[in-house]
Amino acid sequence: MGQSPEPLATLGLTRAEASAYRDLVRTGPHPEEQVDAGVVDRLVAAGLILRRDGLVDAVPPGEALHHGAALRQREVDRLRTTAESLAADYRRRPGGGREAVEVVEGPRQVMAAATQMAERADTVMRGLDRGPYFHADPLPGQAQQRAQTRGVQWRVVYEGASLREAGPDGWAMVGRTEGEVARVSARLPMKLLLCDDVQGLIGLSTGPGRGEALLVRGSLLLDALIELFEREWEAAIPVPHRGSELRDADGITEQDRELVAMLSAGLTDGQISKNLGISPRTLHRRIADLQRVLRVESRFQLGVQASRQGLV
């Protein structure tokens, strides 16, 4: 059997150099003449050992190796950025668009593609979320939570029509994941997931249990999808964080803001009552109160005016 890989080789060390460094770590300073001169020169240049009074000694591993790992990580990041930039240039060349789109077939394959996008995201994930749904959760395996732990932002616009069709519990999926910023829109043009400015996934599912999608990589098409998302985001109604009952100067509570968001999404009175945990009578009274505070006569005007005044 062959020798196992030398972990320190990732720092550019040969097996002999790695062995010499390990020996110094374990046993302490050695007379310089007892160590191969070429090995000493390379380990000094790598910042792993020091010469002192005719002796050579290991730099503490916590300092030396963490510094080396940080340098390698920066190299990897630069290489990744360069690769993505070159890939985008490649796809923008004449005929390159043919390679910018890939068809993904089957619910499992679509969810796997979405999960991989979340796992590789560096900065932001953006989504237009609409039915039909073929998975109980937005993404399986806690992929969204892991991405957010890495500092990835999530911005999602949910379609009110799909939430209404999902039944009384449809609203439960909106903005429930910690760190997600959610908005709602009555109608969305498509199901879409965007990973940074690198990849997009357009959902083409035709019904529950069936799924197909287009995976779009850096291209003019991806640029258009990003612009589409930002326009939908600006037009959508924000969903407030749940649980707060603090009132502002106009007497508007966070529950009122959520109520307005649900009305704007087109949810029924029964769905709104269930999600807010209030009776239909209390709901109707609160809607009338909000209409009076905002000086409007209809529910539609209520959503528009609340948005204009920055109350949602």
Side-chain angles (χ1 to χ4, degrees):
M1 297 178 61
Q3 292 180 311
S4 60
E6 167 54 61
L8 294 178
T10 58
L11 298 179
L13 302 185
T14 66
R15 189 169 291 275
E17 291 162 358
S19 176
Y21 177 70
R22 291 178 185 277
D23 189 39
L24 290 171
V25 168
R26 288 191 296 265
T27 62
H30 282 42
E32 184 171 345
E33 64 269 16
Q34 294 182 7
V35 186
D36 181 271
V39 169
V40 170
D41 289 341
R42 286 189 292 273
L43 290 177
V44 169
L48 294 175
I49 68 172
L50 297 173
R51 289 187 173 101
R52 185 183 298 113
D53 300 327
L55 300 175
V56 291
D57 193 10
V59 173
E63 174 185 338
L65 298 186
H66 289 167
H67 175 68
L71 290 176
R72 291 300 180 273
Q73 184 59 53
R74 285 197 288 271
E75 292 175 2
V76 170
D77 291 341
R78 286 197 295 270
L79 180 59
R80 180 176 177 179
T81 300
T82 300
E84 291 173 349
S85 176
L86 289 174
D89 290 341
Y90 179 81
R91 294 185 184 101
R92 286 185 172 92
R93 72 180 189 176
R98 290 191 297 272
E99 300 177 13
V101 178
E102 174 186 343
V103 178
V104 182
E105 297 182 277
R108 290 185 180 180
Q109 289 77 5
V110 173
M111 294 308 299
T115 301
Q116 289 173 3
M117 289 171 61
E119 297 289 5
R120 69 166 296 179
D122 288 326
T123 306
V124 61
M125 291 290 293
R126 293 169 280 198
L128 302 180
D129 192 289
R130 55 169 290 181
Y133 300 104
F134 45 82
H135 195 280
D137 300 312
L139 285 179
Q142 306 298 311
Q144 182 170 346
Q145 290 87 337
R146 287 197 300 272
Q148 288 172 323
T149 299
R150 299 195 312 273
V152 177
Q153 299 178 348
W154 283 75
R155 298 162 59 205
V156 183
V157 182
Y158 292 86
E159 184 185 69
S162 296
L163 296 174
R164 188 169 61 249
E165 293 169 3
D169 297 325
W171 190 259
M173 71 178 72
V174 178
R176 289 296 188 186
T177 304
E178 184 67 27
E180 177 182 294
V181 181
R183 294 190 176 190
V184 292
S185 180
R187 291 281 182 182
L188 292 175
M190 64 178 67
K191 182 184 294 187
L192 176 67
L193 188 65
L194 297 168
C195 171
D196 298 322
D197 295 335
V198 179
Q199 282 187 324
L201 192 66
I202 305 173
L204 303 175
S205 54
T206 56
R210 298 190 299 274
E212 188 174 84
L214 296 179
L215 182 61
V216 182
R217 300 179 180 89
S219 64
L220 294 177
L221 174 57
L222 180 62
D223 295 342
L225 293 174
I226 293 171
E227 177 66 21
L228 171 66
F229 171 85
E230 294 300 339
R231 290 182 180 230
E232 292 291 342
W233 178 263
E234 289 300 320
I237 299 293
V239 177
H241 294 293
R242 294 169 170 82
S244 173
E245 281 302 315
L246 296 177
R247 294 176 180 270
D248 59 22
D250 292 319
I252 307 297
T253 68
E254 289 303 305
Q255 187 182 74
D256 294 332
R257 293 183 171 88
E258 189 168 10
L259 189 161
V260 172
M262 291 184 192
L263 287 174
S264 300
L267 269 64
T268 66
D269 286 2
Q271 290 173 316
I272 296 175
S273 297
K274 177 178 175 58
N275 282 290
L276 294 181
I278 60 178
S279 68
R281 179 177 301 221
T282 300
L283 172 64
H284 296 155
R285 184 173 64 249
R286 193 53 193 159
I287 291 175
D289 291 342
L290 289 171
Q291 289 175 334
R292 184 171 59 257
V293 168
L294 297 178
R295 299 178 182 178
V296 297
E297 297 181 356
S298 70
R299 294 186 177 193
F300 175 78
Q301 292 173 334
L302 176 61
V304 172
Q305 191 65 16
S307 180
R308 285 179 177 173
Q309 295 189 23
L311 300 179
V312 293

